[in-house]
Amino acid sequence: MEYEISLAILAANAVILALSLNLITGYCGQISLGHEAFYGMGAYGAALLTTSGLPFFLALPLGGVLAGILGVIVGLASLRVRDDFLAITTMGVNFLFIGIVRQQDWLGGEMGIFGIPDPGLGRLGFLALVVALAVAVILLSLYVKRSWMGFAFDAIADDEDTSRMVGTDVARYKLAAFAMGTAIAGVAGGIYAHEIKYIGPDSFGFTESITVLAIVVIGGIGSVPGVVVAALVLTLLPQWLQFIAEFKLLFYGGLLFLAMRFSPDGLAGLVKRLLGRGRHDKRQILAKEGRT
């Protein structure tokens, strides 16, 4: 039972993390290859606070705030760079974060931070909290997508220059996307730290950033249901099938290749096309029956 609860917590947390990147990359079109830096900032921030005696319920949101502040700083850089240059900038943030963590003894250095306190909610209580947060992030994502902010994000993602010419405050919306996405990633990092009870530099490397981006792409960039399904499947499947776990990166890479080759809009786009084809076939059948 303990294993199943841990797996459920990690899967729900993967949903939170993937949706946090989806707000930045999927909604606003800002390519981020260093999302684990914000995840790690939240994890280290929350872990340091709870090991210093601060209650978990205060440390968790504060870790998110720290990650959000870093996100705004990176967002300010995004106002001057875009596309490939933004991707390289965010990648550099990830490497910079790992380098700083490795060199600072008060952050645990190479050894990391051990003995992170238990949240004190019990296993089922902690699971309920993480699931509730995942549901809240799903609802927030759906709300943003249908709001004026979501329309502005879509416009910026489609054509940033045209959006600016018609009066959209591109800088404000870009910063809002980075602030929201990175703060949510920081909360996910705090959850991860208090679930695993240990964090180190290798937990938040560039490979992990690519893994999160792969989940968003495979699920369907900008699609909330697609990203949720991809996060759950790609988190649980390697745990259930050992041969996938041994070749996890190869498996993810293969799925990415298949997605980009046959369904660039991911699982969400594939499902829409299948449903649309099914409705089209049904209309053809009804039309034929009507003629006869």
Side-chain angles (χ1 to χ4, degrees):
M1 186 66 178
E2 176 67 23
Y3 171 74
E4 286 77 10
I5 292 175
S6 295
L7 199 55
I9 290 172
L10 292 176
N13 201 40
V15 170
I16 298 173
L17 180 60
L19 287 176
S20 71
L21 179 58
N22 197 43
L23 282 168
I24 299 171
T25 300
Y27 284 13
C28 204
Q30 306 303 300
I31 302 173
S32 176
L33 295 182
H35 204 59
E36 285 289 309
F38 312 110
Y39 187 56
M41 175 68 80
Y44 271 89
L48 289 171
L49 290 171
T50 53
T51 52
S52 300
L54 197 70
F56 171 75
F57 279 104
L58 289 178
L60 186 65
L62 286 175
V65 170
L66 289 173
I69 292 172
L70 177 61
V72 170
I73 294 172
V74 175
L76 289 171
S78 77
L79 302 180
R80 294 182 174 273
V81 295
R82 65 173 74 172
D83 301 328
D84 296 343
F85 296 101
L86 177 59
I88 294 170
T89 299
T90 54
M91 187 193 308
V93 170
N94 202 160
F95 287 125
L96 181 62
F97 173 77
I98 297 301
I100 291 173
V101 168
R102 289 188 188 280
Q103 297 299 320
Q104 300 299 316
D105 292 336
W106 65 280
L107 293 175
E110 291 281 358
M111 299 299 294
I113 300 176
F114 292 88
I116 298 173
D118 187 85
L121 301 173
R123 298 303 291 151
L124 290 177
F126 192 44
L127 172 60
L129 172 65
V130 179
V131 171
L133 289 173
V135 171
V137 173
I138 291 171
L139 294 176
L140 174 65
S141 297
L142 292 172
Y143 172 77
V144 169
K145 193 175 184 68
R146 291 166 172 77
S147 68
W148 283 110
M149 180 180 289
F151 295 144
F153 285 166
D154 286 340
I156 293 169
D158 288 339
D159 193 326
E160 184 176 322
D161 293 327
T162 302
S163 298
R164 185 177 288 107
M165 285 192 330
V166 298
T168 302
D169 191 342
V170 172
R172 182 164 67 93
Y173 284 114
K174 274 188 172 183
L175 289 177
F178 270 100
M180 283 193 301
T182 56
I184 293 171
V187 171
I191 291 170
Y192 174 80
H194 288 83
E195 169 61 19
I196 303 300
K197 305 293 191 298
Y198 162 78
I199 51 174
D202 293 335
S203 303
F204 310 104
F206 178 65
T207 302
E208 284 68 30
S209 288
I210 297 301
T211 299
V212 180
L213 182 61
I215 290 174
V216 173
V217 173
I218 292 169
I221 295 177
S223 168
V224 175
V227 171
V228 170
V229 171
L232 292 174
V233 171
L234 295 180
T235 301
L236 296 174
L237 204 58
Q239 302 298 325
W240 291 336
L241 302 177
Q242 188 60 40
F243 72 92
I244 291 179
E246 293 175 357
F247 302 99
K248 186 176 178 180
L249 291 180
L250 183 62
F251 176 66
Y252 276 35
L255 287 180
L256 264 178
F257 172 78
L258 292 174
M260 298 308 296
R261 174 62 181 84
F262 299 105
S263 183
D265 44 2
L267 291 174
L270 180 61
V271 171
K272 286 181 181 178
R273 285 193 295 275
L274 291 175
L275 291 176
R277 184 179 302 171
R279 286 193 292 267
H280 178 70
D281 293 342
K282 185 176 180 180
R283 284 195 297 267
Q284 285 185 330
I285 293 171
L286 291 175
K288 289 179 180 179
E289 290 177 350
R291 286 195 296 268
T292 57

